DNA sequence: TTACAATTGATCCATCTGGATATATTGTGC
DNA sequence: GCACAATATATCCAGATGGATCAATTGTAA
């Protein structure tokens, strides 16, 4: 099937055999373009920073490793985000008495204030994105999202296991690049391997 | 409210005033950790490459700019993804007769084959993620996703406009000044982090 | 025609990302 | 106690990212 209309192409992809993954990814990608860029421009802060700030304000005293569970991202990304938040005086990282390796995170008043500002804009944005649904639909969508989010295979896949290796790739030969040092386990994110 | 259980924290965030945005973002972030890493490991290819390959196989003859509409990403990212796909012999970029600026994209047989492999795995992954829903729920979820995806404010926000400036400036109508890169259509609009 | 804005895609380059690794601490078994 | 694995976080650095810009073309209006 052929078409030249971008909207028709999008509609067709979102109705294909990969409709579910493509649809939800499209929504989040498109929203990220708007939201992340806005927060970056207005507050000079990448997305992982205000995610971390949100969590810290919501759960004062949590540890960096808890953030990995709330916002699945590489561990060093979280570490740097916290360093930035601390450098800006938005959070405090205090050594944990029970475990000297860990640090407990607490928002400063400035951090709490800034988050309140961001939260307000984010709420408006949320209503903008989900406002096309009526309130019953919104409730339904949220409930289904939660069901998906708590599914056991979302984070621990069997069809795409962590230890999968490279396939033969019989037909590349033409790329000078070729060497990639990937491998090994997933530091940080997983609780077991 | 205080808790030390990461699962309880997650549940609480996903039920907060930002529940909808946080929930859908969580699902996609978690899935990306699994899917993108897998494809990268197995096929040595970043996510934007197989997205572009999928689109090219689905709509042979499309132009790079169409990809921006299908997969909202920075324009240079798309440009590089296509260069890589071509270097690997997975697509051809042929000059467009109607418009010498543009190039039309066509999959090679190798590209079509590789996409078939990736598509199969992606389908399995999709069933893994959405399999926690019964088929009525899946249909409902998909329909609601589509409604959200086609909402006019998803891509063109009013609360987070493109021309927003640094902190301190509230969202007054801004300056509808001269040289603002307004696009009535949707060219090079994109870019986000 | 000429001039100029708009559009398509490629490229520059400062910054960011993330896999690997390092450092410090805790826990466990002997 | 000691040795060693596991855990919490920080840091290194090759390579990716993305905002800005460029060159080439097209469209448009005098």
């Amino acid at each position: 099937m052929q078409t030249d209309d971008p909207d028709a192409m999008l509609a067709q992809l979102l109705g294909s055999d990969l409709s579910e993954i493509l649809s939800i990814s499209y929504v989040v990608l498109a929203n990220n373009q708007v939201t992340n860029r806005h927060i970056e421009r207005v507050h000079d802060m990448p997305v992982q920073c205000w995610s971390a700030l949100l969590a810290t304000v919501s759960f004062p005293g949590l540890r960096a490793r808890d953030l990995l569970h709330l916002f699945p991202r590489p561990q060093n990304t979280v570490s740097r985000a916290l360093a930035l938040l601390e450098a800006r005086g938005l959070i405090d990282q205090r050594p944990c008495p029970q475990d000297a390796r860990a640090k407990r995170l607490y928002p400063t008043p400035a951090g709490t204030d800034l988050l309140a500002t961001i939260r307000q804009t984010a709420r408006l944005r949320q209503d903008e994105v989900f406002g096309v649904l009526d309130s019953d639909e919104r409730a339904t969508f949220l409930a289904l999202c939660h069901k998906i989010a708590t599914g056991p295979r979302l984070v621990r896949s069997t069809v795409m296991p962590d230890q999968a290796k490279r396939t033969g790739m019989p037909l590349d030969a033409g790329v000078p690049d070729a060497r990639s040092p990937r491998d090994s386990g997933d530091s940080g994110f997983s609780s077991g391997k």
Side-chain angles (χ1 to χ4, degrees), chain A:
Chain A
M1 194 241 200
Q2 260 297 29
T3 176
D4 275 344
D5 174 21
D7 288 320
M9 291 195 283
L10 181 58
Q12 189 177 327
L13 272 188
L14 299 194
S16 71
D17 59 338
L18 296 178
S19 57
E20 291 160 312
I21 282 198
L22 293 177
S23 299
I24 193 172
S25 294
Y26 177 82
V27 169
V28 172
L29 256 185
N31 176 58
N32 281 351
Q33 289 257 6
V34 171
T35 300
N36 297 352
R37 201 173 188 207
H38 177 85
I39 301 282
E40 172 114 28
R41 228 174 2 229
V42 175
H43 300 290
D44 189 29
M45 177 176 285
V47 57
Q48 59 268 25
C49 277
W50 63 275
S51 296
L53 184 57
L54 170 62
T56 303
V57 169
S58 301
F59 310 106
L62 52 34
R63 295 157 303 153
R65 103 163 288 287
D66 299 322
L67 289 175
L68 292 181
H69 191 256
L70 300 177
F71 304 102
R73 293 181 188 284
Q75 178 266 329
N76 54 4
T77 296
V78 171
S79 181
R80 275 189 302 245
L82 294 175
L84 178 59
L85 289 175
E86 185 168 49
R88 295 215 185 147
L90 300 172
I91 65 168
D92 284 331
Q93 302 193 63
R94 302 212 287 267
C96 175
Q98 291 82 22
D99 184 344
R101 292 169 303 184
K103 293 176 176 179
R104 292 194 172 274
L105 311 174
Y106 300 90
T108 63
T112 303
D113 285 353
L114 176 59
L115 183 73
T117 301
I118 292 176
R119 186 193 288 271
Q120 168 118 14
T121 311
R123 261 197 305 250
L124 292 175
R125 175 63 181 156
Q126 178 172 259
D127 286 339
E128 201 173 49
V129 171
F130 295 94
V132 291
L133 306 183
D134 64 39
S135 67
D136 276 354
E137 289 173 327
R138 283 178 77 153
T140 299
F141 185 81
L142 183 59
L144 294 177
C145 258
H146 285 176
K147 209 162 172 179
I148 296 165
T150 54
R153 293 276 158 258
L154 176 63
V155 163
R156 302 238 132 259
S157 174
T158 54
V159 305
M160 294 182 174
D162 275 358
Q163 52 279 61
K165 289 300 295 175
R166 181 86 45 102
T167 58
M169 266 215 320
L171 32 85
D172 76 355
V175 194
D177 144 65
R179 195 76 296 120
S180 72
R182 339 228 153 237
D183 245 85
S184 91
D186 167 17
S187 61
F189 165 60
S190 35
S191 36
K193 167 128 191 197

